Amino acid sequence: MSKLRSYFEITSFGIYENWDEKSKKLPQIKTFTTKVPAQVDIEFGFILHAKKAKGKRLDWTMYHPDIPDDKGRIMEPFEGQVYVRNNDWEFYLGDTVWEPVHNKVGDWRMVIECDGKVIADKTFSVLIEHGDGEIQFWKKRGY
């Protein structure tokens, strides 16, 4: 008797169009990159494609660069769970930069686990633009 093996793949990553989390529609990729300009409301993350995994629980964690809460305490990593809805399913894991921007700069690591195993792991560097070379880098990408 054959046993179906679940398959997971990151199909896109980088900067996306603004995403409405209430919509069933996933955001559209704008730029494939792991370097994200530190701009308010910029959307970044990745899309995970799951096959043959209906009903599996995915645990996600987003490690951020020591962002303080309203009382100045460093916030815990963002965490959550989602269940795979069908055998050919996509899931978007991402975040945006919000005010104040200066404490969002740094590495954001996004990890998804299934059955205790890491199935997706991507780190994004949120950067403040410096110098003409870097400004040209972002202008080429429409920012």
Side-chain angles (χ1 to χ4, degrees):
M1 185 168 150
S2 73
K3 186 173 183 179
L4 295 177
R5 288 187 70 119
S6 298
Y7 173 77
F8 302 96
E9 177 185 24
I10 294 175
T11 56
S12 64
F13 63 90
I15 299 170
Y16 290 82
E17 298 288 338
N18 286 345
W19 180 54
D20 177 6
E21 63 185 72
K22 295 178 182 101
S23 171
K24 289 184 179 183
K25 186 177 175 187
L26 296 176
Q28 294 297 307
I29 187 79
K30 287 174 70 175
T31 304
F32 281 87
T33 185
T34 56
K35 294 181 179 179
V36 179
Q39 298 175 354
V40 173
D41 292 335
I42 195 162
E43 184 84 39
F44 64 98
F46 64 81
I47 291 180
L48 178 76
H49 188 191
K51 285 191 160 195
K52 300 178 184 175
K54 183 178 180 179
K56 294 245 182 205
R57 186 182 84 193
L58 305 182
D59 298 299
W60 59 265
T61 306
M62 193 175 308
Y63 301 93
H64 52 73
D66 293 344
I67 300 172
D69 64 15
D70 295 342
K71 296 180 180 170
R73 297 179 300 229
I74 300 301
M75 295 178 0
E76 293 293 320
F78 307 139
E79 297 178 323
Q81 297 175 341
V82 65
Y83 287 87
V84 177
R85 295 188 183 112
N86 59 54
N87 279 320
D88 190 8
W89 184 72
E90 291 183 311
F91 172 68
Y92 173 71
L93 179 61
D95 210 336
T96 60
V97 176
W98 66 94
E99 290 287 356
V101 172
H102 73 275
N103 65 12
K104 311 308 179 297
V105 173
D107 288 343
W108 292 68
R109 182 175 174 225
M110 300 180 189
V111 178
I112 300 177
E113 295 183 15
C114 181
D115 297 332
K117 295 178 184 168
V118 173
I119 58 168
D121 188 342
K122 188 62 80 175
T123 300
F124 299 90
S125 296
V126 175
L127 307 165
I128 293 179
E129 298 173 9
H130 292 292
D132 188 47
E134 195 166 334
I135 290 170
Q136 294 304 317
F137 172 83
W138 297 117
K139 281 185 179 176
K140 286 180 186 175
R141 285 158 177 75
Y143 298 99

